[in-house]
Amino acid sequence: ATARARGDGRAPQDALAQRSRTSLGRRCTVARAASSANNAKDKLERIDGLLSRCGYCARSEVKGFLRAHEVVALEAPVTSASAKARAEDVCIDGQPLDNPNGVLVVMNKPSGLVCSHDAREGANVYALLPERWRARKPSVETVGRLDKDTTGLLLFTDVGALNHTLTSPKKDIGKWYRVRVDKEIPQACVEVFASGTLTLEGETKACKPARCEILGPYEARLELTEGKYHQVKRMFAFFDCTVIELHRESFGVLNLGSLKPGEYTTLPLDFDFAA
């Protein structure tokens, strides 16, 4: 077996009920993380730093960029890389800056792509994003990771505090996964996963309580509020079931809607995943 169930006297329903008590704190923390990004909109920035940060060009290329494009701040032409302006006052070729306070993106991740910038690991999810977003500083990063063969809802952001908030298990944001395995799923997994007593091999801390719904002999839905390494696969391996398909359906209240594999859309930085 790859994990063990440890008894601590808690009923499964008691362990799951504990999660609901963190809802208000979770919402406040996510809101603070987004607010810290939005507060930057009143800051005066040098044009070269602003254009570089938003991915339009490198600092060394700003002079050429200003000659090639119509850049204005409060309708006044900007011709110097050292000029200062607020991001919300700047337009390029008649268009406002592209998400100057940060981006939050949801993608329907296709199978076969890794959540890594390392080219040695193969084709990655970042290649599906616009080139300008890939050039932003700080860089756009995935919110947690999905395995290469896992599909479904994947978030990206370049706001570090927001990324940390959304990935912290303390925030108790539920993620639902649809799972298909190679053997019949035992009914016992529902109670074991919900108990909060399952400790994965090589770890000393038990998994947080997880909801499991058995949909058929080989298919189930599982809700996690944390993201241990290969957690879903290791949890089902405890019951000698090998996961052969894994798809993330939702992140908090957010689902994929009509997004097809490889498609993405932006979300407001203050999107309430707990609504």
Side-chain angles (χ1 to χ4, degrees), residues 36-111:
S36 65
N38 285 325
N39 287 340
K41 67 182 180 180
D42 294 325
K43 177 184 176 182
L44 286 174
E45 296 183 66
R46 281 178 55 121
I47 290 296
D48 54 0
L50 181 58
L51 295 181
S52 174
R53 179 172 66 79
C54 292
Y56 286 91
C57 59
R59 278 179 177 266
S60 60
E61 301 169 336
V62 170
K63 291 182 179 180
F65 186 91
L66 293 177
R67 289 193 296 267
H69 299 269
E70 182 185 37
V71 181
V72 300
L74 292 177
E75 301 184 357
V78 177
T79 57
S80 171
S82 62
K84 291 186 177 181
R86 296 189 308 169
E88 65 178 14
D89 296 332
V90 176
C91 287
I92 298 175
D93 297 331
Q95 298 297 320
L97 288 181
D98 183 3
N99 295 286
N101 300 317
V103 293
L104 177 59
V105 180
V106 55
M107 174 187 289
N108 186 348
K109 177 191 175 296
S111 179

Side-chain angles (χ1 to χ4, degrees), residues 11-265:
Q13 61 269 29
D14 293 338
L16 288 170
Q18 176 65 30
R19 288 173 35 191
S20 65
R21 300 171 191 155
T22 64
S23 176
L24 179 59
R26 176 181 65 208
R27 295 187 188 193
C28 293
T29 306
V30 172
R32 284 196 298 270
S35 177
S36 65
N38 285 325
N39 287 340
K41 67 182 180 180
D42 294 325
K43 177 184 176 182
L44 286 174
E45 296 183 66
R46 281 178 55 121
I47 290 296
D48 54 0
L50 181 58
L51 295 181
S52 174
R53 179 172 66 79
C54 292
Y56 286 91
C57 59
R59 278 179 177 266
S60 60
E61 301 169 336
V62 170
K63 291 182 179 180
F65 186 91
L66 293 177
R67 289 193 296 267
H69 299 269
E70 182 185 37
V71 181
V72 300
L74 292 177
E75 301 184 357
V78 177
T79 57
S80 171
S82 62
K84 291 186 177 181
R86 296 189 308 169
E88 65 178 14
D89 296 332
V90 176
C91 287
I92 298 175
D93 297 331
Q95 298 297 320
L97 288 181
D98 183 3
N99 295 286
N101 300 317
V103 293
L104 177 59
V105 180
V106 55
M107 174 187 289
N108 186 348
K109 177 191 175 296
S111 179
L113 301 180
V114 298
C115 297
S116 169
H117 291 285
D118 191 341
R120 294 172 298 181
E121 297 186 31
N124 64 59
V125 293
Y126 298 102
L128 299 177
L129 298 176
E131 182 178 358
R132 183 185 300 157
W133 289 359
R134 302 199 303 269
R136 292 177 70 95
K137 300 178 182 64
S139 60
V140 173
E141 303 290 342
T142 60
V143 177
R145 291 189 175 194
L146 295 180
D147 294 339
K148 183 177 181 178
D149 57 350
T150 299
T151 62
L153 197 155
L154 181 64
L155 296 174
F156 300 77
T157 186
D158 58 349
V159 181
L162 181 58
N163 197 325
H164 174 75
T165 296
L166 293 175
T167 53
S168 173
K170 295 180 180 179
K171 306 311 173 190
D172 219 29
I173 300 176
K175 280 81 71 177
W176 278 100
Y177 297 82
R178 184 177 289 265
V179 187
R180 181 175 291 276
V181 299
D182 64 338
K183 296 180 181 179
E184 187 167 345
I185 301 172
Q187 188 65 35
C189 73
V190 175
E191 182 175 357
V192 172
F193 292 168
S195 69
T197 63
L198 182 66
T199 303
L200 302 176
E201 184 179 10
E203 301 188 16
T204 58
K205 187 175 181 180
C207 296
K208 296 182 69 175
R211 291 185 176 93
C212 181
E213 300 174 354
I214 298 179
L215 305 177
Y218 307 102
E219 191 172 3
R221 295 179 73 234
L222 181 68
E223 184 194 33
L224 301 180
T225 57
E226 56 187 346
K228 296 177 183 286
Y229 180 70
H230 289 168
Q231 183 171 350
V232 175
K233 296 178 180 179
R234 294 163 70 195
M235 289 174 70
F236 278 94
F238 176 71
F239 292 98
D240 296 320
C241 294
T242 299
V243 173
I244 56 178
E245 290 182 18
L246 182 58
H247 177 81
R248 183 194 276 171
E249 295 182 325
S250 63
F251 194 111
V253 299
L254 179 68
N255 58 47
L256 288 167
S258 61
L259 286 179
K260 298 177 182 179
E263 292 183 341
Y264 56 85
T265 188

